[in-house]
Amino acid sequence: NHYMALCYSCFKEYDSQFGMCPFCGAETITEPKEAVHLLPGTVLNGRYIIGVSVGEGGFGVVYNAYDKTLDRIVAIKELFSARLVTRYPGETAVRINKKTAGEFEYRKNRFLTEARYIANFNSNKNIVGVLDHFEENNTAYIVMELLKGMSLSSYMAKHGGKLDRSLTLEIAGQICSALEELHNENIIHCDVAPDNIFVLEGHEVKLFDFGAAKLADSADAAIDICLKPGYSPPEQYDRTNNLGPWTDIYALGATLYIMLTGIKPDESTNRKLNDTVVPPHVIDPSIPDNLSNTVMKAMAVEKHLRFKNIDALRKSLIGDVKVRTLAQEKRIKNLKRVAGIATALVILASVTGAVANMYSDKKEENGLRPATVSVWYSVADGSSEQAAMESIKEDFESKFPDVTIELKAINESSYTSEISAAAKKGELPDLFESSGLSDDVLKNAQDVSAILDSPQAKECLFLEDYHSYYSDTKKIPLGIEVPVAAVITKGSTKVVYNNDVFDDLSDFRADKIAMDNGCDELIEKNLDSQWASRDTFMDNESNTSPVMMTSSMNINDIRKELVNYTKNYVFLDGDKVSCDYIYEWSIGATDAEERRASERLLSWMLGNVYQSELMITIASDGQIPVNEKCFHEKCSNKNYKGLEKAYKHYVFD
């Protein structure tokens, strides 16, 4: 018997005697690919004829479909998870597992909410269009435009595994356009990868598959997290819900890496332990250094080293902004810390005698028995730490002739690896700089409770939160870092704001607020916003952001670098302001006398004489002392007046 059959691929009718569609060559289909899929020919919502299934993921099946109302072929995604629901052959409705009914309802609501959000971006040619969404058959459906082409992963495979530089940049620019619009509306894709980028004719690309997308300001964590080894950054593995634009920036950086090199980057969790990913220009010397640096910065393991937003990434990709290597970025970030410590050592060398006199009341408390103390510290190229430490050694040994100090200066680039190796051998130095060191390194460090109980610690204003901030007593912080807004009050772009403190970004009445480099973790503990890049504030010629959130540590740098504008520094105030401890040192000494000598030197660093010289005399620097008397002296500096008003609300947790 001959009859007119409907092709479930191109949806044209043909004589069944042919056995296949003469228009597209598809075989006659009467059964679904999988028994749990919808039967071809099923009509949804009274208008969509279901065709063949063209894709399947963990939480959805995608079908080819025909829209009878608008006479066009579309794609329909059905919410379906074999773990949560099932469908018997011949049925259309899904059967929900009673044990997971709550999770399925959650997923259905989230599925439809995402559809509504993504439908708002139909005007963006680089985001797949969402045409309709509805509930039926105990589940939910999203109707999308049908894309003709292939995924980026298939496209690369077809063209030798990688793409030339110009095409890579062309595709990257389009993905940047899509992500920027999503991020402006607080939506994070969370699954950017070659499989989810579709290449159409003419190299137009579409970002699709928003199944893992989330609202950046939503406290509702997804039950499951979509992970793609090689493309998912570390924060997607730790389930802290600490996701944001930086998450998509990492994934796009990894996508750029494979497009340029043909090599998929190692999994980010492996990179945290041992990063073997080499810059693209090392693999292919024809790749410009700036492009290579841009890719590596985008996919930095530490999120604070990545680009702060898509616009900054785009500008770097096209060469408008020069990008440093990650090693240089890390070095610059550490310079403030190292410079502060270096200054501390220089000052300490000059005041050691004065400090020692603080302990001359009781002869038995001044004396130290014979001991040899090893001191390790990090040094930057061209810095003066080594000379300062030699002076300290001389003065300390003069005061305590039975004590010998053995100094070891280690370049900052290898400091962490060297001290980690020593820790693995159980050979920690007696006294060492410990900022940024992992718990693994410090697990055998000594308890510093004795220093916390010392008279010098009791003179400190901020150590009362010590146990809220640290999970153990292995470090002594010498200063604090607090959030501050740099506000332009005179210039082509300015804000009228005369107070020394603020409690909300709306206080500034500024449309665009920038974020300083390396400050995101500190700022985002307190404030939630879509930030502009640092460049919009720090441009001496065409500033477009009148306010930039930054750290107290960066005040001096901003003052020196942004010279064409008059600036005020306004400190964050509120019911609770989360801050950080800085300049940390630890003790590794196991011998009783070596430990006692190490504790004596470290306790001095909390004392009034030491902290006054370091953080008050050198008033232009960003160090804020923990010592109470020195802190109030610091507040008398014009750049730090807001500290006196805000500090009572500072917490360290």
Side-chain angles (χ1 to χ4, degrees), residues 414-441:
S414 58
Y415 183 80
T416 299
S417 60
E418 287 203 32
I419 205 161
S420 296
K424 286 181 179 178
K425 296 177 182 178
E427 299 173 355
L428 280 174
D430 299 317
L431 181 63
F432 60 97
E433 180 191 340
S434 57
S435 294
L437 296 182
S438 68
D439 291 341
D440 260 354
V441 174

Side-chain angles (χ1 to χ4, degrees), residues 385-397:
E385 293 100 315
Q386 208 157 350
M389 286 303 295
E390 291 292 342
S391 295
I392 290 175
K393 169 184 168 69
E394 182 179 345
D395 288 347
F396 196 84
E397 289 177 347

Side-chain angles (χ1 to χ4, degrees), residues 41-57:
T42 301
V43 178
L44 297 179
N45 206 29
R47 64 184 283 187
Y48 303 108
I49 302 174
I50 290 296
V52 294
S53 56
V54 293
E56 184 174 7

Side-chain angles (χ1 to χ4, degrees), residues 83 154 167 171 192 235 282 384-385 486 501 533 583 585:
R83 182 172 64 83
S154 298
L167 182 53
I171 291 174
V192 177
E235 62 265 21
V282 174
S384 57
E385 293 100 315
V501 297
S533 70
Y583 298 153
W585 283 74

Side-chain angles (χ1 to χ4, degrees), residues 281-514:
H281 76 269
V282 174
I283 299 171
D284 181 357
S286 70
I287 298 173
D289 286 355
N290 202 68
L291 176 56
S292 181
N293 294 345
T294 296
V295 173
M296 295 304 290
K297 180 177 174 68
M299 56 183 293
V301 174
E302 302 93 340
K303 68 184 180 68
H304 65 273
L305 292 175
R306 299 174 209 156
F307 293 98
K308 298 302 176 249
N309 53 52
I310 289 294
D311 185 54
L313 171 57
R314 180 196 290 110
K315 288 178 179 177
S316 299
L317 284 171
I318 62 178
D320 284 357
V321 177
K322 185 177 180 181
V323 181
R324 306 180 184 95
T325 65
L326 278 181
Q328 290 170 329
E329 290 278 0
K330 292 177 182 179
R331 180 180 174 186
I332 289 171
K333 182 175 175 57
N334 288 334
L335 275 178
K336 298 183 185 71
R337 173 180 57 82
V338 175
I341 293 172
T343 305
L345 297 177
V346 172
I347 298 299
L348 186 59
S350 65
V351 302
T352 299
V355 176
N357 288 335
M358 296 172 62
Y359 300 91
S360 60
D361 295 334
K362 297 180 181 179
K363 184 176 180 180
E364 63 273 19
E365 291 183 3
N366 277 327
L368 291 175
R369 295 182 179 179
T372 299
V373 177
S374 59
V375 179
W376 288 19
Y377 54 99
S378 169
V379 294
D381 294 337
S383 62
S384 57
E385 293 100 315
Q386 208 157 350
M389 286 303 295
E390 291 292 342
S391 295
I392 290 175
K393 169 184 168 69
E394 182 179 345
D395 288 347
F396 196 84
E397 289 177 347
S398 173
K399 177 64 180 176
F400 304 104
D402 291 331
V403 176
T404 300
I405 297 178
E406 296 180 345
L407 302 176
K408 183 174 182 179
I410 303 172
N411 189 279
E412 62 176 342
S413 63
S414 58
Y415 183 80
T416 299
S417 60
E418 287 203 32
I419 205 161
S420 296
K424 286 181 179 178
K425 296 177 182 178
E427 299 173 355
L428 280 174
D430 299 317
L431 181 63
F432 60 97
E433 180 191 340
S434 57
S435 294
L437 296 182
S438 68
D439 291 341
D440 260 354
V441 174
L442 296 174
K443 65 183 179 182
N444 292 323
Q446 298 300 311
D447 187 283
V448 293
S449 297
I451 298 174
L452 291 172
D453 292 335
S454 69
Q456 294 73 41
K458 297 186 187 308
E459 297 171 4
C460 294
L461 184 64
F462 299 106
L463 291 184
E464 60 190 19
D465 280 348
Y466 180 96
H467 294 289
S468 298
Y469 189 89
Y470 295 103
S471 60
D472 51 26
T473 49
K474 298 295 184 71
K475 294 181 178 182
I476 289 293
L478 305 183
I480 67 170
E481 182 180 24
V482 306
V484 61
V487 180
I488 292 175
T489 57
K490 186 177 181 181
S492 58
T493 303
K494 66 180 180 179
V495 165
V496 179
Y497 193 82
N498 299 317
N499 202 345
D500 296 321
V501 297
F502 75 101
D503 57 19
D504 191 89
L505 294 174
S506 62
D507 294 349
F508 299 116
R509 298 182 180 179
D511 293 330
K512 187 184 288 187
I513 296 180

Side-chain angles (χ1 to χ4, degrees), residues 118-130 145-148 170-171 173-179 181-182 196-208 210 314:
I118 303 306
N120 293 326
F121 301 101
N122 284 348
S123 61
N124 189 306
K125 65 178 183 179
N126 299 124
I127 297 176
V128 64
V130 171
E145 63 176 319
L146 183 67
L147 303 178
K148 294 183 178 180
E170 182 181 351
I171 291 174
Q174 295 180 70
I175 299 304
C176 283
S177 172
L179 290 176
E181 191 160 352
L182 291 172
N196 293 332
I197 298 170
F198 211 82
V199 183
L200 288 69
E201 292 182 5
H203 299 149
E204 181 181 334
V205 299
K206 297 266 190 181
L207 183 63
F208 69 102
F210 289 80
R314 180 196 290 110

Side-chain angles (χ1 to χ4, degrees), residues 4-107:
M4 295 304 292
L6 180 64
C7 174
Y8 292 118
S9 291
C10 69
F11 293 95
K12 292 182 179 180
E13 287 189 328
Y14 64 93
D15 192 323
S16 63
Q17 68 174 321
F18 293 114
M20 67 173 58
C21 176
F23 301 101
C24 69
E27 294 183 359
T28 300
I29 298 172
T30 58
E31 298 293 332
K33 283 185 180 180
E34 302 290 340
V36 294
H37 291 179
L38 287 171
L39 182 69
T42 301
V43 178
L44 297 179
N45 206 29
R47 64 184 283 187
Y48 303 108
I49 302 174
I50 290 296
V52 294
S53 56
V54 293
E56 184 174 7
F59 291 94
V61 180
V62 179
Y63 300 93
N64 210 14
Y66 175 68
D67 182 352
K68 297 190 297 180
T69 302
L70 298 179
D71 186 24
R72 63 178 174 182
I73 300 175
V74 296
I76 294 185
K77 184 174 183 179
E78 177 185 52
L79 177 63
F80 187 95
S81 169
R83 182 172 64 83
L84 305 177
V85 299
T86 190
R87 176 185 284 120
Y88 288 179
E91 295 185 349
T92 55
V94 302
R95 299 194 179 196
I96 302 170
N97 186 330
K98 291 182 179 179
K99 293 182 179 179
T100 56
E103 179 183 346
F104 183 74
E105 187 64 23
Y106 160 83
R107 289 206 171 277

